[in-house]
Amino acid sequence: MKLNNTKIVILSLFIVGLVLYFTSFKGPFLWDDYQLVVENQYIKDWHFIGNILTQDLFKGSGEGSNWYRPLVGVSYAIDYSVWGLNSVGYHLINLLLHISSSIFLYLLTLRLVRLKTFAFLASLIFLIHPVPTEAVSYISGRTDLLMVFFILLSILLLMKSLEISSNKSRKLCLIFSYSSYVFALLSKETAVIFPVLLFLYLYAYSREKQTYKYSLTTTLQKLWPYLALSALYIVSRLTVFNFYNVLMVSKDNFVYGAGIFGRFLMFLKALFIYYANLILPLNLHYRMETSFPITGLDIHVIFSGLILVAFIAASVFFWRRKPIVSFAILWFFFALIPVSGIIIPINFIVGIRWLYLAMIGPIIGLAVLLADAYSKPKTNKYLKAFVLALIGCYLVFLAVLTVNRNDKWSKPAVFFEEMVRFYPADGRLHNLLGIELIKTDPQRGISEFEIAAKLKPDFATPYFNLGEYYKNRKEFDQAIGYYQRAIATDKNFIIAYTAIASIYAQQKEYDSAVNWLYRLLEIIPDSWKVYSQIGDVYYLDGDLSKARDAWLKGLSLDPKNQIIWGKLKKIGP
């Protein structure tokens, strides 16, 4: 079948995507989803749109981060307006973004290949490969989905501007292309590498298609608006939207006390994992970690370093001889630079979802090389058939792995049991497994919490979760006891204070509730949220004067806080 009809290709990609990711719709909110969606007050009321656009991603749940990704927050707000807290809708949007990016990839590859079938093959590999499951099946993975969606759309619109004769239409395409890049930046910081990736694509396009004449001057003329947007973003990110010192490098920040060379060694070791999972993703799991290489004599570092040197040499050698090879190699490595951890701190060293952008270059490169080989009349037809059969088997292999990964993402208990098998000494993972098990098997859940506390003695969360379990059973004395153990383990464990206050308020012991909240103020004296909660307790006790005073104090700390304004309206002037 000749895939000349773009509509058939698009329909095929939609069908394949829905079949492969259907099980992901069953997945509940998981891990960061609770902070970003379930507990995020900003996405539940459009009055907070200003907060979403000016504050960090986690602020709506009362927590803090240095992630300025307002478009992600806006997308969740739209989701909440449509689906409420039905996780199926959020999963559907994630999948539609992934399928759309696959379509964009098809259209971009189509501009480079001689046979359209191989453009379809590129989009199929991208759609079917299990690496993106971490971004697609995990609601919080939307950051990567939005970033890649808008990066590919931006390239596509720029290419469209080069192909049309109407001056008005060309300018319109360019405006939308620039806007798409801005949206990519507002989705994830990694998008700042986009001008480099765009340069690589333009160079490959100029050598594969003669319709665009490459020169450094003309290409820079195309790139300067994107470079200007990148510079503006970097400056604003380091100043106005620098919530927790984005460039902070300290000895307490993961591996950042090891120096530039040590972090480079760590990146080489991470690269080994990326190589393996891009080709044979047999051992995928979330938060793939690895031991820190003490020296460059680590076998994985040596092997990965040799591959890196070979790839760099190949990209130089083929720059003019076969530019698509250089494009594939350089896109892969440049896309990983922002998450390499060499200079800018990242939350962990190996993130399989970071391959989502990086894998695009090698996939396009493979499609172009195969199309070139198949377009040559001298290529043996039996060899062609054999290679196509191998590719078909590989696609089936990837599809099976993807369905399997999606099934695990849809079952949190299974997901965390797998994680615990990989990292049995990780107390945090035992705690997360306990959260899931306690819903269906309380004894096993309690046991996992106890293991978590034993493995990590300074870890207060398992005690808090035990308190939550007994609170839900209305065994309030035991619940308060575990909350207090959490505080004894970590006096700054804020939610334990509010949990105790909540129980006392529920039992109408309002003085005790207020006392615990004032104890919390000793730790976070500038928290509008605590003053808001103190006002709530006084309101329940019928003391409207003290309720107003507490809310006004909270308002003095955050004058634009719509939550407190709403409470004040209830009691009038």
Side-chain angles (χ1 to χ4, degrees):
M1 168 179 133
K2 291 186 178 180
L3 296 165
N4 293 325
N5 193 328
T6 300
K7 291 180 180 178
I8 294 176
V9 171
I10 291 173
L11 180 61
S12 301
L13 292 173
F14 264 99
I15 292 171
V16 172
L18 286 170
V19 170
L20 290 178
Y21 282 89
F22 182 76
T23 55
S24 71
F25 294 159
K26 299 184 296 182
F29 293 107
L30 183 71
W31 223 327
D32 286 345
D33 297 345
Y34 284 96
Q35 287 76 42
L36 295 180
V37 178
V38 179
E39 299 169 3
N40 190 345
Q41 299 305 310
Y42 290 170
I43 70 168
K44 298 174 182 178
D45 190 333
W46 283 103
H47 287 100
F48 294 117
I49 185 64
N51 300 74
I52 293 174
L53 295 176
T54 58
Q55 296 179 4
D56 74 80
L57 188 61
F58 281 82
K59 200 68 174 179
S61 62
E63 299 187 19
S65 73
N66 202 26
W67 293 345
Y68 178 64
R69 300 171 184 178
L71 196 64
V72 179
V74 170
S75 76
Y76 289 144
I78 295 171
D79 274 336
Y80 185 81
S81 298
V82 179
W83 327 104
L85 288 178
N86 185 342
S87 62
V88 174
Y90 297 80
H91 285 298
L92 175 62
I93 297 302
N94 275 19
L95 177 57
L96 291 177
L97 285 168
H98 182 46
I99 293 173
S100 299
S101 293
S102 302
I103 295 168
F104 294 161
L105 181 61
Y106 166 76
L107 296 173
L108 287 172
T109 309
L110 202 57
R111 286 165 163 76
L112 299 175
V113 297
R114 292 179 173 83
L115 297 174
K116 294 180 180 180
T117 302
F118 290 94
F120 180 57
L121 173 65
S123 60
L124 264 185
I125 294 175
F126 183 72
L127 179 65
I128 292 174
H129 203 290
V131 158
T133 56
E134 188 175 311
V136 183
S137 296
Y138 184 30
I139 293 170
S140 297
R142 187 173 297 181
T143 55
D144 293 274
L145 296 172
L146 284 169
M147 176 189 68
V148 169
F149 174 90
F150 284 112
I151 279 178
L152 295 179
L153 180 59
S154 183
I155 299 176
L156 201 56
L157 288 165
L158 175 64
M159 301 312 296
K160 192 69 177 175
S161 75
L162 298 175
E163 299 161 358
I164 54 181
S165 55
S166 169
N167 191 48
K168 182 178 179 181
S169 298
R170 186 185 306 115
K171 287 181 179 179
L172 201 59
C173 283
L174 287 173
I175 290 171
F176 284 129
S177 178
Y178 303 150
S179 300
S180 293
Y181 178 43
V182 171
F183 290 149
L185 287 169
L186 298 180
S187 300
K188 192 172 184 180
E189 295 80 358
T190 310
V192 76
I193 200 69
F194 172 70
V196 177
L197 305 181
L198 180 57
F199 169 80
L200 293 172
Y201 184 85
L202 286 172
Y203 180 72
Y205 179 75
S206 71
R207 301 304 295 266
E208 295 296 327
K209 301 284 185 179
Q210 299 304 314
T211 53
Y212 173 71
K213 300 295 183 181
Y214 169 82
S215 75
L216 186 60
T217 303
T218 56
T219 302
L220 286 177
Q221 287 175 346
K222 298 284 185 296
L223 289 179
W224 80 259
Y226 304 96
L227 292 168
L229 288 170
S230 298
L232 180 63
Y233 173 79
I234 291 170
V235 170
S236 63
R237 202 57 184 84
L238 294 176
T239 54
V240 179
F241 301 113
N242 187 1
F243 305 110
Y244 290 96
N245 191 1
V246 69
L247 293 179
M248 180 181 65
V249 177
S250 69
K251 293 181 179 179
D252 297 327
N253 193 322
F254 210 33
V255 298
Y256 291 92
I260 292 287
F261 180 69
R263 297 196 292 274
F264 177 70
L265 293 181
M266 191 71 231
F267 177 55
L268 285 179
K269 197 164 185 181
L271 274 177
F272 181 83
I273 297 173
Y274 293 144
Y275 297 146
N277 283 286
L278 191 61
I279 300 168
L280 285 175
L282 292 170
N283 198 26
L284 287 178
H285 54 277
Y286 184 74
R287 209 192 72 174
M288 298 182 73
E289 294 182 358
T290 184
S291 59
F292 189 82
I294 304 302
T295 69
L297 297 179
D298 184 296
I299 186 63
H300 297 98
V301 171
I302 294 172
F303 186 66
S304 183
L306 290 173
I307 294 176
L308 177 60
V309 170
F311 276 147
I312 292 173
S315 65
V316 172
F317 180 79
F318 287 108
W319 183 252
R320 293 189 180 277
R321 296 173 177 84
K322 194 64 179 173
I324 195 65
V325 175
S326 302
F327 160 81
I329 293 170
L330 294 175
W331 177 296
F332 178 78
F333 287 108
F334 275 111
L336 288 173
I337 283 176
V339 290
S340 65
I342 296 173
I343 298 174
I344 304 226
I346 50 179
N347 51 343
F348 46 88
I349 289 297
V350 183
I352 290 298
R353 66 181 177 275
W354 296 336
L355 281 173
Y356 190 55
L357 175 62
M359 67 192 294
I360 290 171
I363 288 173
I364 292 177
L366 175 65
V368 174
L369 291 174
L370 285 171
D372 286 350
Y374 271 71
S375 63
K376 293 176 181 177
K378 293 183 179 180
T379 306
N380 186 286
K381 64 178 182 179
Y382 296 108
L383 179 61
K384 289 181 180 181
F386 177 71
V387 172
L388 280 178
L390 280 180
I391 292 171
C393 291
Y394 183 62
L395 288 174
V396 172
F397 165 72
L398 293 179
V400 171
L401 292 177
T402 295
V403 171
N404 180 260
R405 286 304 302 163
N406 287 330
D407 184 60
K408 289 180 178 177
W409 274 102
S410 69
K411 300 172 181 175
V414 175
F415 175 82
F416 286 118
E417 280 183 318
E418 178 188 65
M419 293 289 290
V420 165
R421 283 198 301 274
F422 280 107
Y423 307 108
D426 192 323
R428 295 184 183 278
L429 291 176
H430 283 280
N431 175 67
L432 291 167
L433 177 58
I435 291 173
E436 299 304 325
L437 290 178
I438 208 160
K439 300 171 186 175
T440 55
D441 190 345
Q443 289 307 311
R444 283 191 65 198
I446 290 170
S447 175
E448 290 296 329
F449 289 141
E450 291 172 347
I451 292 171
K454 185 177 180 180
L455 286 171
K456 194 171 175 58
D458 61 344
F459 190 28
T461 307
Y463 296 121
F464 175 81
N465 288 332
L466 284 166
E468 290 287 279
Y469 169 70
Y470 286 109
K471 182 187 77 172
N472 292 333
R473 289 171 56 90
K474 300 189 183 304
E475 298 179 28
F476 296 123
D477 289 341
Q478 279 189 277
I480 289 173
Y482 277 111
Y483 291 143
Q484 289 176 334
R485 287 188 69 180
I487 292 169
T489 304
D490 179 3
K491 70 176 183 178
N492 295 321
F493 198 77
I494 294 168
I495 53 176
Y497 292 86
T498 57
I500 294 173
S502 175
I503 289 177
Y504 281 128
Q506 187 177 340
Q507 295 178 323
K508 298 185 179 180
E509 297 182 32
Y510 299 119
D511 289 342
S512 296
V514 169
N515 286 337
W516 275 96
L517 290 172
Y518 272 111
R519 286 180 63 176
L520 181 55
L521 277 178
E522 295 174 8
I523 301 170
I524 45 173
D526 296 327
S527 171
W528 66 265
K529 198 170 185 179
V530 179
Y531 279 106
S532 177
Q533 291 167 327
I534 290 172
D536 293 344
V537 175
Y538 282 130
Y539 181 80
L540 291 172
D541 195 19
D543 194 334
L544 301 187
S545 176
K546 287 186 177 179
R548 181 185 290 106
D549 290 343
W551 287 335
L552 287 173
K553 179 63 177 177
L555 205 59
S556 71
L557 296 169
D558 188 2
K560 296 181 180 180
N561 193 292
Q562 296 299 317
I563 295 175
I564 298 179
W565 276 115
K567 292 176 180 179
L568 285 167
K569 288 178 183 178
K570 290 192 303 183
I571 59 176

